Amino acid sequence: MSTTSSDPLAALGELPGVPDAVDSVRKAVDRVYGHRVMRRRSNEVTAEAALRGARGSAALSGADWNLEEVRRRTDFSGEDEARTIGAALRLTAEAGQLLSIWRQSPLRVLARLHLVAAGGATPDDAVGRPRLAGESVDEPLIEAPVPGADEVSGRLEGLSRLIIAGGTASALVTSSVVHGELLALRPFGSHNGLVARTAERIVLINSGLDPKSVCPAEVGHAEQGRAAYVAAFEGYLSGRPEGMAAWIAHCGRAVELGVRESTAVCEAMQRGAA
């Protein structure tokens, strides 16, 4: 992420097409929050959105399981795909516990997310901290060159300062940048994609855009497909205005598809089918 503005996130919000994406997301979120089911059964919608979001995030990390299998399964040990699903479910559950900490110490939250995702599957001294020089990264899907440890440290600190300082940028812009920057840096030895998408979720909740966490962007990222996800991310990596705008628009579409998913859940509940 590079920009010369004193408020770089706000500057990204002015890129061509981004204001329209922000407005479209806001209208979509307002519609699902206005659904009559949300007035009576929002906790159930939140729980279902969490499950579906975890399934979507895991799918992007190589474990594309049927929703009902995720719902039915109780043991997520064993094969790699099961562990990926388990990590995604743990992260989704943990996200809501870290909202207040995120505002003061995003790096502490990221460390906690990695610890939760690893779940004992990574050597203890590599869990919950950014990787050191010479340490490898195991990250499915993202094949871009991995920044060195010093660059990771510097850029994480910069991202942390932006988050703590706050600003006028929209939730969509901020969450997209957090997501993209963590994918670009891959600061941990494993589970970076899962952590990045969970951090996106935390920003969307914390910002007030989706306070009940019923708009799972992970669902939308998965629905758009792994190829589209990688292509949009390459736009972020380019650092060019048009690439950044395309990534933000992609993330906006993901939120809208998450809204559509939860709206369908609301409709099913209203019919008595869920």
Side-chain angles (χ1 to χ4, degrees):
M1 180 183 60
S2 62
T3 176
T4 57
S5 170
S6 59
D7 190 351
L9 298 184
L12 291 176
E14 299 170 2
L15 293 173
V18 173
D20 289 341
V22 169
D23 185 57
S24 182
V25 165
R26 167 54 69 185
K27 289 177 178 176
V29 172
D30 286 347
R31 284 195 297 272
V32 73
Y33 271 82
H35 197 286
R36 66 172 61 185
V37 167
M38 286 293 294
R39 294 195 292 271
R40 297 178 286 109
R41 302 175 67 181
S42 64
N43 288 343
E44 295 172 64
V45 180
T46 295
E48 189 64 21
L51 181 70
R52 296 178 184 223
R55 193 218 71 83
S57 190
L60 288 170
S61 287
D64 192 0
W65 286 19
N66 179 278
L67 179 64
E68 293 311 312
E69 174 65 11
V70 177
R71 195 191 306 280
R72 180 193 65 80
R73 189 79 167 257
T74 57
D75 180 7
F76 295 99
S77 60
E79 70 270 28
D80 288 347
E81 288 193 6
R83 289 199 297 270
T84 297
I85 295 283
L89 289 168
R90 291 192 300 272
L91 285 171
T92 300
E94 187 74 11
Q97 310 302 313
L98 300 172
L99 300 178
S100 61
I101 302 172
W102 177 262
R103 296 186 180 98
Q104 285 82 40
S105 182
L107 298 185
R108 181 180 163 195
V109 169
L110 293 175
R112 174 62 185 171
L113 291 177
H114 185 246
L115 181 67
V116 168
T122 308
D124 288 348
D125 64 352
V127 171
R129 62 156 175 80
R131 54 189 167 79
L132 304 177
E135 291 182 337
S136 62
V137 174
D138 177 16
E139 186 55 47
L141 190 60
I142 304 302
E143 298 180 352
V146 179
D150 288 344
E151 181 180 351
V152 168
S153 177
R155 286 172 64 175
L156 281 177
E157 287 292 342
L159 183 64
S160 177
R161 286 194 296 270
L162 281 175
I163 293 165
I164 292 169
T168 60
S170 69
L172 174 61
V173 169
T174 303
S175 63
S176 300
V177 168
V178 168
H179 183 172
E181 192 70 355
L182 292 174
L183 278 186
L185 295 178
R186 281 149 288 163
F188 304 109
S190 62
H191 301 95
N192 289 287
L194 293 174
V195 168
R197 291 184 289 275
T198 305
E200 177 186 42
R201 172 185 283 267
I202 288 172
V203 174
L204 291 170
I205 299 169
N206 236 348
S207 66
L209 176 67
D210 182 22
K212 294 182 183 295
S213 191
V214 297
C215 307
E218 305 98 320
V219 168
H221 287 303
E223 188 169 330
Q224 291 179 90
R226 299 177 90 196
Y229 183 75
V230 171
F233 172 62
E234 287 173 352
Y236 179 88
L237 272 184
S238 75
R240 295 190 296 270
E242 63 273 17
M244 298 291 287
W247 170 248
I248 294 167
H250 181 89
C251 291
R253 180 58 178 158
V255 175
E256 291 184 58
L257 290 169
V259 167
R260 188 177 71 178
E261 186 87 354
S262 287
T263 300
V265 169
C266 288
E267 293 292 333
M269 288 181 176
Q270 186 167 287
R271 294 191 304 269

